[in-house]
Amino acid sequence: MYTIREIQDRIMTKQISCTELTKLYLDAAAADTLNAYITSTPEHALAAAGAVDRKIAAGESLRPLEGVPVCVKDNISTAGILTTCASRMLEDYVPFYDAHAWTLLKGQGAVLIGKGNMDEFAMGSTGETSRFGSTANPVDPRYVAGGSSSGCAAAVAGNLAVCAMGSDTGGSVRLPAAYCGAVGFKPTYGAASRRGLVAFASSFDQIGPIGGSVEDVAALLDAITGKDPGDMTHRGLTPVRPQLTGSVKGLRVGLAGEFFEELPASVAAALTEAVSVLENAGAEIVKVRFPLLQTCLPLYYILSSAEASSNLGRYDGIRYGHRAPEGDTLHETICRSRSEGFGAEVKRRILLGTYVLRAGYKDDYYGKAQKLRLTVRAELEKLFESCDLLLTPTVPHTARQKGESLEPVQTYRSDLCTVPANIAGVPAVSVPCGRDENGLPIGLQLMGRAFRDGLVLNAAYAYELATAGAYLAKTDRGVRL
Amino acid sequence: MITNEEILRLADLAKLSPEDVTAASLREDLESLVTFAGTIVGVQAKITESRAEPAALRPDLSVPSADREAVLQNAAVTESGFFVVNSGGSHVHNP
């Protein structure tokens, strides 16, 4: 994986023009067998690259993301460019406005290589629910890239983009980053504007960066957290890049045993080693408890499915989206459009969401889950009185083989370690920390208090420096400079 | 066990075709998901009241809306600048 600094150095020193570099990434994406992209965007990419080359010719310097080839997840609106959410429902949908985060990134001069493949409507953790086929893991294509930001993670780790902008509702940036050997970050809820991010579960969704290094993720995060009065949940964030000192001296890193139960030996060993690395770097390891961990999964699925059933109610085939041949009544037309337009996982979640919101059941499921959410938040806040960060595996296992048949609930268990951060709205990062016996990447997760995104990323940065980035994905795929 | 009547009612509420939801695999999946969701029933919620946070409000200003043509561009069926619902037959839905 190339870093932003490496790419910009080459452009600034005229070893390669931005246009030539962009063509390399576009060609690699076109030849890609990972299925990382749904839509390639050569026109936009080359126009942006041309603008960068004119700046270089005029002797001007580059802004932090200028000229950098990026992948944007296909649930983030890009005006004039297909935004399908990997669904038949939106397979022809072209937004007429940009997501605010994309406006900011585009305004920085980033070069859009294409729209990243994903699980349909961001519902999934393998990348296999996409209408357009699953994305393969660049480290070993027999395995999944993870989801739902499968294309983004695969593009970065497979040298088809330098960094990417995904979305994370229950782990959808962190999990594929962990599976593919990249760095992925879910910011504090409200750090980045959600305007233009196709809604899945609005109280959980956050746009988040994926990159080949913690520095790159920090640079992308700083680019996309600019003020947006169009999202009333948006709070912004103090820039994180200046907070990357690389020092964790005196930092209290909490370990909660609940996250380490029944881990495969390779994952347990990698995490144990990572703890030693941080301790040797000056961090203090603190034992903490999080007894509500197992409750987080059903809680997350109740609330996110309830919100999804409401958010996806807008897809009726009338104003946009797939429209079935007309039924006898409007209701029939809408039902057919939705049944034809949505895949199985989306329908499962809509039905679950509808079930838990039904009159007579609401207090048992949705009402109870809302109260438990408050309790989980309070428990995490209390836990953060004893430590500055919580260290966990990102996923309690490594990537699964493509096509492995699992019951839905079994698949959901992949999200065990990631959903607590979404439930509480706190920041969390995944960095690679080892390989399993099949050579597949293992992810280490660090979670912190709300709006302490800089602290979380700095600890990840310190870890990356201490290990010299040894566990970041290295493949022969994609662009080679 | 989710009854036939319940699943058809769910389909109606979720605006999905009845043929879809009565398929055995989707029904089995839903039952296992409901069982999974039901595991929270026995868990004690210690906090039940949310700390009130002030709602962030926009200024109460009238601003131009989106361009009509842009809004219509993704609709499968339009007519004279309008979205088109069922063009014939009854519009009334009797659940």
Side-chain angles (χ1 to χ4, degrees):
Chain A
M1 294 183 281
Y2 293 102
T3 63
I4 291 173
R5 193 191 297 261
E6 284 169 337
I7 292 292
Q8 288 192 325
D9 276 349
R10 285 171 199 258
I11 296 173
M12 287 292 295
T13 57
K14 297 181 182 171
Q15 291 177 56
I16 188 168
S17 73
C18 191
T19 301
E20 285 165 338
L21 177 84
T22 299
K23 281 181 183 165
L24 286 175
Y25 275 92
L26 287 168
D27 289 345
D32 160 41
T33 55
L34 297 174
N35 202 24
Y37 288 99
I38 291 175
T39 301
S40 177
T41 53
E43 213 175 284
H44 290 260
L46 292 169
V52 172
D53 284 333
R54 286 189 290 279
K55 271 190 89 163
I56 300 292
E60 295 173 40
S61 56
L62 295 180
R63 288 169 296 171
L65 282 145
E66 202 143 25
V68 176
V70 301
C71 170
V72 170
K73 189 176 181 181
D74 209 19
N75 61 349
I76 295 173
S77 297
T78 43
I81 301 170
L82 278 171
T83 298
T84 70
C85 296
S87 178
R88 184 182 182 192
M89 179 57 79
L90 292 180
E91 65 183 351
D92 297 320
Y93 176 70
V94 179
F96 58 86
Y97 65 97
D98 284 326
H100 184 72
W102 172 236
T103 299
L104 294 174
L105 198 54
K106 192 167 62 168
Q108 283 278 318
V111 173
L112 180 65
I113 300 300
K115 301 301 293 294
N117 203 355
M118 54 182 282
D119 281 304
E120 187 184 5
F121 280 104
M123 297 180 195
S125 24
T126 62
E128 293 178 299
T129 70
S130 171
R131 161 85 169 159
F132 306 107
S134 61
T135 301
N137 193 312
V139 175
D140 186 337
R142 295 172 299 171
Y143 294 82
V144 298
S148 60
S149 306
S150 45
C152 287
V156 170
N159 297 309
L160 303 172
V162 172
C163 52
M165 193 159 64
S167 75
D168 192 309
T169 300
S172 289
V173 158
R174 293 162 285 156
L175 186 150
Y179 278 6
C180 294
V183 180
F185 184 66
K186 184 205 86 68
T188 298
Y189 183 82
S193 165
R194 289 180 299 111
R195 183 160 58 104
L197 169 65
V198 174
F200 161 13
S202 308
S203 76
F204 295 89
D205 295 338
Q206 266 296 271
I207 288 179
I210 296 175
S213 69
V214 175
E215 256 191 302
D216 283 3
V217 158
L220 188 38
L221 182 67
D222 283 345
I224 64 171
T225 46
K227 197 92 180 94
D228 183 17
D231 173 3
M232 305 319 285
T233 63
H234 180 233
R235 296 286 177 270
L237 193 67
T238 306
V240 297
R241 181 64 188 85
Q243 298 180 56
L244 300 187
T245 63
S247 172
V248 291
K249 280 198 170 52
L251 196 72
R252 297 168 305 161
V253 175
L255 298 180
E258 291 87 355
F259 286 93
F260 294 86
E261 289 170 6
E262 296 177 7
L263 290 179
S266 57
V267 176
L271 269 291
T272 302
E273 172 64 25
V275 169
S276 296
V277 167
L278 286 170
E279 209 171 7
N280 292 339
E284 181 193 336
I285 307 301
V286 177
K287 278 207 164 66
V288 295
R289 291 196 64 235
F290 189 56
L292 285 174
L293 176 63
Q294 292 295 336
T295 304
C296 286
L297 263 183
L299 156 61
Y300 167 77
Y301 276 96
I302 289 168
L303 294 178
S304 65
S305 298
E307 292 185 20
S309 73
S310 173
N311 277 323
L312 271 64
R314 68 194 65 183
Y315 300 108
D316 53 23
I318 305 300
R319 293 156 298 160
Y320 43 73
H322 175 74
R323 182 169 177 148
E326 213 161 83
D328 292 334
T329 64
L330 176 58
H331 183 78
E332 203 178 308
T333 304
I334 291 173
C335 288
R336 277 192 199 164
S337 300
R338 288 165 62 81
S339 281
E340 288 177 9
F342 293 138
E345 181 61 29
V346 170
K347 285 184 227 182
R348 274 193 284 270
R349 299 212 195 182
I350 288 174
L351 284 169
L352 178 62
T354 308
Y355 185 94
V356 302
L357 285 172
R358 281 183 61 193
Y361 290 86
K362 197 160 68 84
D363 288 336
D364 289 343
Y365 294 98
Y366 184 78
K368 180 69 182 282
Q370 285 286 39
K371 289 174 185 169
L372 277 173
R373 187 176 192 178
L374 297 174
T375 306
V376 166
R377 275 192 188 149
E379 287 287 311
L380 264 180
E381 276 172 18
K382 195 161 155 229
L383 187 152
F384 283 128
E385 287 169 11
S386 313
C387 63
D388 301 304
L389 295 174
L390 189 62
L391 186 154
T392 80
T394 307
V395 194
H397 53 77
T398 50
R400 300 193 194 279
Q401 288 213 354
K402 286 176 81 179
E404 194 177 327
S405 175
L406 290 171
E407 299 292 323
V409 173
Q410 281 180 286
T411 314
Y412 296 169
R413 293 202 189 286
S414 299
D415 302 333
L416 178 69
C417 302
T418 49
V419 297
N422 302 88
I423 289 168
V426 298
V429 67
S430 177
V431 285
C433 69
R435 297 290 175 108
D436 75 1
E437 59 278 6
N438 296 314
L440 292 166
I442 296 167
L444 158 73
Q445 178 175 248
L446 293 164
M447 211 187 303
R449 277 191 164 109
F451 296 103
R452 300 288 180 91
D453 300 49
L455 187 81
V456 171
L457 283 169
N458 184 49
Y461 183 56
Y463 174 78
E464 193 179 271
L465 287 176
T467 55
Y471 303 117
L472 293 163
K474 291 173 182 61
T475 76
D476 292 331
R477 309 188 75 98
V479 170
R480 270 172 276 182
L481 298 174
Chain B
M1 176 81 174
I2 299 177
T3 64
N4 247 357
E5 196 188 329
E6 273 179 314
I7 207 142
L8 289 172
R9 179 71 182 129
L10 281 176
D12 194 63
L13 289 169
K15 295 193 179 64
L16 293 170
S17 293
E19 304 82 53
D20 225 350
V21 303
T22 48
S25 60
L26 194 57
R27 189 205 196 101
E28 277 166 23
D29 286 346
L30 181 61
E31 285 186 349
S32 79
L33 290 176
V34 168
T35 304
F36 171 63
T39 56
I40 66 161
V41 168
V43 182
Q44 195 67 19
K46 292 178 195 164
I47 311 285
T48 56
E49 299 285 327
S50 169
R51 285 170 302 202
E53 284 178 26
L57 300 174
R58 287 194 188 96
D60 187 15
L61 296 172
S62 171
V63 295
S65 183
D67 175 72
R68 194 182 194 92
E69 252 189 62
V71 170
L72 288 168
Q73 74 183 16
N74 284 297
V77 183
T78 64
E79 191 180 297
S80 306
F82 292 95
F83 296 113
V84 175
V85 293
N86 269 30
S87 55
S90 169
H91 292 217
V92 173
H93 167 55
N94 294 311

